């Protein structure tokens, strides 16, 4: 059992357990904290897959910026920690669970079946600088410069839209 | 030296995606439902990055960049809508948002 297997189960198991914490905790603040932990574990998985820039972006943007927004709104609204959910299962929830199980089975079979076993391993050697700042930045500003600029416009529209939606009166 | 098969990463991603989808369907708190959307986006990002390494192609990682930008915009707008809903209903339970249902 190599180091990669150990780290895969450490990060992957941690991500799944903390995502379970998001789903099962009654207090939304606990859900938010579990989600931050899950983002950190996923950043570890990204770093294992030599996506170093995306691992850093995951921590800085997701865990650092988006989750701060979530926690800020949770603290601002302050609607108490108990959620008025009925513990027993109603038919809608049973159907949801069945659909989730079917989706999981379909995705697992697709994940194992789309290539044959011999070709499923990753290439042993990577090109130098793969997934680093220089490579991704070069791709973003040459081949993908139009989507990059569109993302900038989208974020601008998002800022203005958030202010307009949350503002009380004009 | 990487020895794990691609399917392990895809199965981890599928598990996280289904957990996020179930949370979106089952939780009634709008903010927690939004968090489950973020979980689903992260699962998709993991698939993108795994295939990016498998094909030794940057495109998947560039797309993850775009997904993060869209997720940031979506979180900003969505939380503003939740704040507005709380102002009208004094609750963030999705069952309370019935204005368009009649």
């Amino acid at each position: 059992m190599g180091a990669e297997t150990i780290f895969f189960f450490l990060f992957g198991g941690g991500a799944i357990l903390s995502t379970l914490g998001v789903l099962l905790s009654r207090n939304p603040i606990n859900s938010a904290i579990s989600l931050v932990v899950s983002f950190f574990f996923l950043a570890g998985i990204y770093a294992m897959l030599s996506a170093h820039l995306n691992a850093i972006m995951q921590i800085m943007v997701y865990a650092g910026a988006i989750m701060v927004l979530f926690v800020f709104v949770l603290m601002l609204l302050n609607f108490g920690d108990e959620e008025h959910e009925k513990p027993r299962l109603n038919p809608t929830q049973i159907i949801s669970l069945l659909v989730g199980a079917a989706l999981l089975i379909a995705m697992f079979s697709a994940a194992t079946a789309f290539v044959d076993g011999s070709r499923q391993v990753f290439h042993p050697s990577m090109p130098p600088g793969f997934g680093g700042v220089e490579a991704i930045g070069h791709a973003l500003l040459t081949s993908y410069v139009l989507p990059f600029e569109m993302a900038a416009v989208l974020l601008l529209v998002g800022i203005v839209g958030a202010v307009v939606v949350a503002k009380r009166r004009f | 030296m990487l020895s794990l098969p691609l399917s392990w990463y895809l199965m981890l991603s599928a598990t996280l995606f289904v957990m996020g989808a179930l949370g979106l369907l089952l939780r009634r708190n709008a903010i927690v439902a939004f968090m489950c959307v973020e979980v689903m986006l992260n699962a998709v990002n993991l698939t993108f990055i795994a295939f990016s390494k498998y094909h030794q192609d940057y495109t998947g990682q560039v797309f993850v960049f775009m997904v993060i930008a869209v997720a940031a915009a979506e979180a900003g707008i969505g939380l503003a809508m939740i704040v507005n809903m709380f102002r009208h209903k004094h609750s963030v339970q999705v069952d309370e948002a019935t204005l368009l249902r009649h």
Side-chain angles (χ1 to χ4, degrees), chain B residues 54-69:
Chain B
Y54 181 72
H55 292 295
Q56 304 210 342
D57 190 345
Y58 295 125
T59 311
Q61 299 195 15
V62 173
F63 213 99
V64 170
F65 199 89
M66 302 300 162
V67 170
I68 290 178

Side-chain angles (χ1 to χ4, degrees), chain A residues 1 30-31 35 38 49 52 54 57 70 87 91 96 99 101 108-109 113 134 136 140 142-143 146 152 159-160 162:
Chain A
M1 189 146 103
N30 290 348
S31 292
L35 192 54
S38 162
L49 288 167
H52 311 294
N54 276 318
M57 293 263 301
F70 272 92
S96 304
V99 168
F108 266 47
S109 51
E134 188 181 346
I136 303 292
L140 268 178
T142 53
S143 320
L146 182 63
I159 294 168
V160 177

Side-chain angles (χ1 to χ4, degrees), chain A residues 62-125:
Chain A
Y62 261 119
I66 295 181
M67 289 319 294
V68 166
L69 193 61
F70 272 92
V71 174
F72 182 77
V73 170
L74 281 172
M75 302 264 182
L76 178 74
L77 299 187
N78 192 20
F79 41 79
D81 48 52
E82 81 277 11
E83 205 174 312
H84 309 295
E85 287 185 35
K86 296 170 186 66
R88 61 181 178 77
L89 286 176
N90 58 32
T92 318
Q93 292 176 326
I94 293 171
I95 292 171
S96 304
L97 286 173
L98 288 177
V99 168
L103 193 61
L104 191 68
I105 291 169
M107 289 170 94
F108 266 47
S109 51
T112 48
F114 94 105
V115 279
D116 56 346
S118 60
R119 285 187 57 240
Q120 274 228 357
V121 287
F122 290 101
H123 207 268
S125 68

Side-chain angles (χ1 to χ4, degrees), chain A residues 23 39 58 83 119 165, chain B residues 3 7 27 42 53-54 84:
Chain A
L23 298 190
F39 287 161
Q58 172 88 3
E83 205 174 312
R119 285 187 57 240
V165 170
Chain B
S3 51
S7 57
R27 292 301 298 260
N42 262 285
K53 185 176 174 68
Y54 181 72
N84 217 347

Side-chain angles (χ1 to χ4, degrees), chain B residues 43-60:
Chain B
V44 174
N45 283 352
L46 177 57
T47 304
F48 270 125
I49 286 177
F51 273 109
S52 162
K53 185 176 174 68
Y54 181 72
H55 292 295
Q56 304 210 342
D57 190 345
Y58 295 125
T59 311

Side-chain angles (χ1 to χ4, degrees), chain B residues 13-98:
Chain B
S13 165
T15 310
L16 289 175
F17 186 89
V18 170
M19 285 165 72
L22 280 180
L24 185 62
L25 290 171
L26 295 179
R27 292 301 298 260
R28 299 265 69 91
N29 186 315
I31 296 184
V32 178
F34 252 104
M35 289 183 205
C36 293
V37 173
E38 304 291 334
V39 169
M40 290 166 77
L41 287 171
N42 262 285
V44 174
N45 283 352
L46 177 57
T47 304
F48 270 125
I49 286 177
F51 273 109
S52 162
K53 185 176 174 68
Y54 181 72
H55 292 295
Q56 304 210 342
D57 190 345
Y58 295 125
T59 311
Q61 299 195 15
V62 173
F63 213 99
V64 170
F65 199 89
M66 302 300 162
V67 170
I68 290 178
V70 171
E74 171 244 333
I77 300 274
L79 289 172
M81 288 167 68
I82 289 173
V83 168
N84 217 347
M85 174 186 162
F86 186 77
R87 194 174 283 153
H88 288 289
K89 301 276 183 189
H90 296 285
S91 160
V92 293
Q93 307 292 307
V94 289
D95 299 325
E96 305 277 329
T98 54

